[in-house]
Amino acid sequence: MSYEPPTPPANLPTEIVNTLNESTPERLRDVATYAEALSEHKEREARLEESADEEAVEERPDDLPDDVPAKATITIKEINDNRYYYWQWRDGEKIRPQYKGPVNPDE
């Protein structure tokens, strides 16, 4: 009775298939252990990136206009002895401001 070797996945590169076919059972077990650990690590990194992206979206202030990027900060400018809030962000080499409203003197 003869046993047929397993068929490799079609998307596995030929050079990897050839290397695996030439490996000892002990080395194949080491490769399998490493491949499983590596795939778990990469999946965990992808989940962390995804959750970080979701958190960045959640941190967007409620009063931030749609045309102002989330990375904008609030600055105060004084014009003619009056103080005003402005959204401000970097756009390439330029600093872009957008009027937010007057500063409440009680603050």
Side-chain angles (χ1 to χ4, degrees):
M1 180 182 217
S2 70
Y3 294 98
E4 293 294 318
T7 303
N11 63 347
L12 202 58
T14 304
E15 60 271 9
I16 292 177
V17 172
N18 290 341
T19 299
L20 293 174
N21 283 336
E22 295 167 1
S23 297
T24 65
E26 182 180 59
R27 175 154 296 156
L28 289 171
R29 284 187 188 88
D30 290 344
V31 168
T33 301
Y34 172 71
E36 184 64 31
L38 184 60
S39 68
E40 288 174 6
H41 171 76
K42 289 187 174 209
E43 288 169 347
R44 184 171 46 252
E45 279 187 334
R47 284 192 307 272
L48 288 174
E49 273 186 34
E50 185 177 298
S51 69
D53 290 344
E54 288 172 3
E55 286 175 15
V57 169
E58 290 171 9
E59 291 172 7
R60 184 175 177 90
D62 293 336
D63 60 343
L64 187 64
D66 290 337
D67 57 341
V68 173
K71 64 183 178 181
T73 59
I74 295 177
T75 60
I76 297 175
K77 294 185 180 186
E78 190 165 323
I79 303 170
N80 298 330
D81 293 328
N82 295 305
R83 294 166 27 116
Y84 302 95
Y85 287 120
Y86 279 82
W87 292 106
Q88 189 170 309
W89 66 96
R90 181 172 291 282
D91 184 14
E93 296 296 315
K94 296 185 177 186
I95 302 293
R96 304 278 184 197
Q98 181 170 323
Y99 177 75
K100 181 179 186 308
V103 174
N104 184 343
D106 297 333
E107 291 181 5

mmCIF file of all heavy atoms in Angstrom, residues 16 24 53 68:
data_model
loop_
_atom_site.group_PDB
_atom_site.id
_atom_site.type_symbol
_atom_site.label_atom_id
_atom_site.label_comp_id
_atom_site.label_asym_id
_atom_site.label_seq_id
_atom_site.Cartn_x
_atom_site.Cartn_y
_atom_site.Cartn_z
ATOM 1 N N ILE A 16 8.962 27.503 -2.408
ATOM 2 C CA ILE A 16 8.628 27.100 -1.037
ATOM 3 C C ILE A 16 8.219 25.627 -1.019
ATOM 4 O O ILE A 16 8.643 24.870 -0.149
ATOM 5 C CB ILE A 16 7.527 28.005 -0.448
ATOM 6 C CG1 ILE A 16 8.078 29.416 -0.240
ATOM 7 C CG2 ILE A 16 6.973 27.432 0.855
ATOM 8 C CD1 ILE A 16 7.079 30.428 0.265
ATOM 9 N N THR A 24 13.270 17.619 6.287
ATOM 10 C CA THR A 24 13.037 16.477 7.171
ATOM 11 C C THR A 24 11.722 16.680 7.926
ATOM 12 O O THR A 24 11.240 17.817 8.053
ATOM 13 C CB THR A 24 14.182 16.348 8.205
ATOM 14 O OG1 THR A 24 14.152 17.501 9.053
ATOM 15 C CG2 THR A 24 15.535 16.216 7.525
ATOM 16 N N ASP A 53 -7.338 52.626 14.222
ATOM 17 C CA ASP A 53 -8.032 53.452 13.234
ATOM 18 C C ASP A 53 -9.429 53.817 13.726
ATOM 19 O O ASP A 53 -9.874 54.943 13.564
ATOM 20 C CB ASP A 53 -8.136 52.720 11.889
ATOM 21 C CG ASP A 53 -6.792 52.596 11.186
ATOM 22 O OD1 ASP A 53 -5.854 53.321 11.577
ATOM 23 O OD2 ASP A 53 -6.686 51.782 10.254
ATOM 24 N N VAL A 68 -12.699 70.140 7.880
ATOM 25 C CA VAL A 68 -11.509 70.320 8.713
ATOM 26 C C VAL A 68 -11.001 68.938 9.102
ATOM 27 O O VAL A 68 -11.762 68.109 9.598
ATOM 28 C CB VAL A 68 -11.840 71.155 9.975
ATOM 29 C CG1 VAL A 68 -10.654 71.194 10.919
ATOM 30 C CG2 VAL A 68 -12.277 72.552 9.582
#
